[in-house]
Amino acid sequence: MSGVGIAFLSIGLMLALIYSGMHVAIALILLSFGGVWLLRGSFDIASNMLVLAFKDSISDYLFGVVPLFVLMGLLVAVAGIGRDTFEVAAQLFRRVLGGLGIATVAANAVFAAITGISIASAAVFTKVAVPEMIRHGYTPRFAVGVVAGSSVLGMLIPPSLLFILYGVLTEQSVGSLFIAGVIPGTLLAVVYCAGIIAMGRWWPSFVGARRAASYDTSQDMGVAEMASKLAPIVILIALVLGGIYGGFFTPTEAGAAGALGALLISLAKRRLTWASFWQVLVQTGHTTSSICFLIIGASLYSRMLAMSGMPGWLGSYVVESGMGVTGIVVALMIVIILLGTILDSASIMLLTLPIALPILTGTGVDLIWLGVMVVLAVEIGLLTPPFGIAAFVVKATLGPDSTVTLGDIFAGAAPFAAMMLLVLVLVFLFPWLATALV
């Protein structure tokens, strides 16, 4: 069998193994090892490449940013900053049609600027926003849909773990990717808010009955109280993003500064106990190790593909087919969105980018612009069945006693997935949305 044949066989076997329930990282490592063994006919060469991949893949200084941003996000959740932000946003938007939905989007956008983890946003605002929206007459389907839909802002508005992963895989500046995500992330939040207002006006049965007069204004916060609730998040945003954009910190150093700042804030608020701190550390370790195994598997798989000659063959085939840059990018987005129905975000990037990048690099495509579109396309998958991890997180956070079904969550999130697709098309048509600030 030729090298290209072995590469295509590995892709088919990988999909079969993933569908059967095997973890993506394990499938990548096993098939890469077997592929090199077949290509070189030597067990020793395959073993040595496996050792090198484990050693080189995550030894870079940049990888320190992963546990640091994860730690910061979890500490922020423990400190109750998400709840404080939602309470302020709810008061500010209470008299707007669909105001609590808009408040959830706004709070999620602010929360995303210091976490970078969609799962954390989904869990926090399921506890905070869903009961409040249902209490004020919103339909459960709309309430969970808003939370699931707006949670994806955590991966688009910087800092973002997916941008970090993309930067590592493509050797692009993480700082530049963070900056590139500002306008598209803000645009997505604005489109969500406009969509909520439109649904409240023309699709009231989906949103639910709501009247501004139903709010008890005697419980309103004063300006000083709102400022005190927002002060911690403003400080963290200024520390992390201001440090990166101002050139004071590298992304890794900004992650360390943010984690320290989140720790001090959670201690100052007296919301961090030894038990919760230990849980935060354990969750940080689990998340980091999972990401690192995926990166190692992707690195090994990329080396196997390069050894097989498949990227060069595929590049020649695409060039001869006359697809052009536009056709290649569109095809990549379609594949990513389809894979989002069965795989998580990081796995999709690790499977597609090693194949697509050698082709796209030769076409001169802007990899920063491409990165924003890849993250948008990948995040649509968080809201689509049957995998849709954001929907599963919302369901798990609601608890077994909730009457809201998984189908309700997917149905509620569907309009927001459509709005994400609209923003993806806009970024594709107007690349300056991603590159204007870089």
Side-chain angles (χ1 to χ4, degrees):
M1 184 181 294
S2 67
V4 174
I6 291 173
F8 276 109
L9 176 62
S10 72
I11 294 173
L13 288 174
M14 184 183 308
L15 292 175
L17 291 174
I18 292 171
Y19 269 116
S20 68
M22 180 176 286
H23 192 277
V24 175
I26 303 301
L28 282 168
I29 293 171
L30 284 176
L31 291 172
S32 301
F33 180 83
V36 174
W37 192 353
L38 286 174
L39 287 167
R40 291 291 181 263
S42 171
F43 179 86
D44 291 337
I45 292 176
S47 300
N48 290 334
M49 197 179 83
L50 186 65
V51 172
L52 287 173
F54 270 83
K55 177 185 175 184
D56 298 339
S57 300
I58 56 173
S59 61
D60 195 285
Y61 168 76
L62 179 63
F63 284 103
V65 77
V66 175
L68 291 171
F69 274 120
V70 172
L71 177 61
M72 180 179 68
L74 294 174
L75 284 171
V76 163
V78 169
I81 291 177
R83 176 182 295 275
D84 292 343
T85 307
F86 175 76
E87 290 173 354
V88 174
Q91 179 166 320
L92 293 175
F93 295 104
R94 69 177 183 272
R95 297 201 180 277
V96 180
L97 186 63
L100 282 185
I102 295 173
T104 303
V105 173
N108 241 318
V110 175
F111 193 70
I114 54 170
T115 57
I117 310 172
S118 295
I119 294 174
S121 298
V124 168
F125 287 97
T126 298
K127 293 179 181 178
V128 172
V130 170
E132 192 71 9
M133 280 193 280
I134 292 176
R135 186 170 70 85
H136 282 95
Y138 292 83
T139 64
R141 181 171 287 188
F142 173 77
V144 295
V146 170
V147 170
S150 58
S151 69
V152 302
L153 292 168
M155 285 301 184
L156 191 58
I157 296 177
S160 161
L161 286 180
L162 284 187
F163 276 139
I164 294 169
L165 183 58
Y166 179 88
V168 170
L169 292 173
T170 61
E171 298 182 354
Q172 297 298 302
S173 166
V174 173
S176 296
L177 288 165
F178 281 177
I179 296 172
V182 172
I183 294 179
T186 305
L187 175 63
L188 181 59
V190 170
V191 169
Y192 275 171
C193 293
I196 289 171
I197 294 173
M199 287 188 288
R201 184 170 181 177
W202 291 295
W203 195 8
S205 61
F206 177 73
V207 176
R210 178 207 177 277
R211 292 290 180 269
S214 66
Y215 288 95
D216 182 7
T217 56
S218 65
Q219 302 298 319
D220 281 359
M221 294 177 284
V223 175
E225 185 179 357
M226 287 194 290
S228 67
K229 285 180 177 290
L230 290 179
I233 203 164
V234 171
I235 292 171
L236 277 179
I237 291 173
L239 180 65
V240 177
L241 298 186
I244 293 174
Y245 300 157
F248 300 106
F249 299 141
T250 65
T252 304
E253 292 166 348
L260 177 60
L263 176 62
L264 294 176
I265 289 171
S266 59
L267 290 173
K269 285 178 167 288
R270 297 182 179 179
R271 291 173 176 172
L272 185 67
T273 64
W274 281 110
S276 61
F277 185 54
W278 175 251
Q279 186 177 12
V280 164
L281 293 177
V282 171
Q283 285 181 306
T284 300
H286 285 169
T287 304
T288 303
S289 61
S290 176
I291 292 172
C292 287
F293 264 105
L294 282 168
I295 293 172
I296 290 169
S299 174
L300 191 59
Y301 193 64
S302 298
R303 297 181 189 200
M304 188 275 288
L305 288 179
M307 196 177 291
S308 71
M310 178 195 171
W313 176 87
L314 196 58
S316 300
Y317 176 80
V318 169
V319 170
E320 292 171 3
S321 69
M323 286 180 66
V325 178
T326 301
I328 298 171
V329 172
V330 170
L332 176 61
M333 295 302 111
I334 292 172
V335 169
I336 289 175
I337 292 172
L338 291 176
L339 285 176
T341 62
I342 57 170
L343 297 175
D344 65 280
S345 304
S347 299
I348 295 169
M349 290 175 63
L350 293 166
L351 285 174
T352 56
L353 290 178
I355 298 173
L357 275 176
I359 302 170
L360 289 168
T361 302
T363 64
V365 68
D366 187 332
L367 293 181
I368 299 294
W369 168 67
L370 181 70
V372 173
M373 289 200 299
V374 166
V375 170
L376 270 168
V378 161
E379 289 298 278
I380 293 174
L382 288 181
L383 307 178
T384 52
F387 191 79
I389 191 169
F392 282 94
V393 171
V394 171
K395 176 60 179 172
T397 308
L398 288 172
D401 298 329
S402 174
T403 58
V404 178
T405 65
L406 198 59
D408 289 330
I409 300 172
F410 279 124
F416 297 93
M419 285 183 258
M420 283 194 74
L421 185 59
L422 170 63
V423 173
L424 174 61
V425 172
L426 289 175
V427 174
F428 175 75
L429 295 175
F430 307 103
W432 61 265
L433 289 170
T435 58
L437 299 179
V438 179

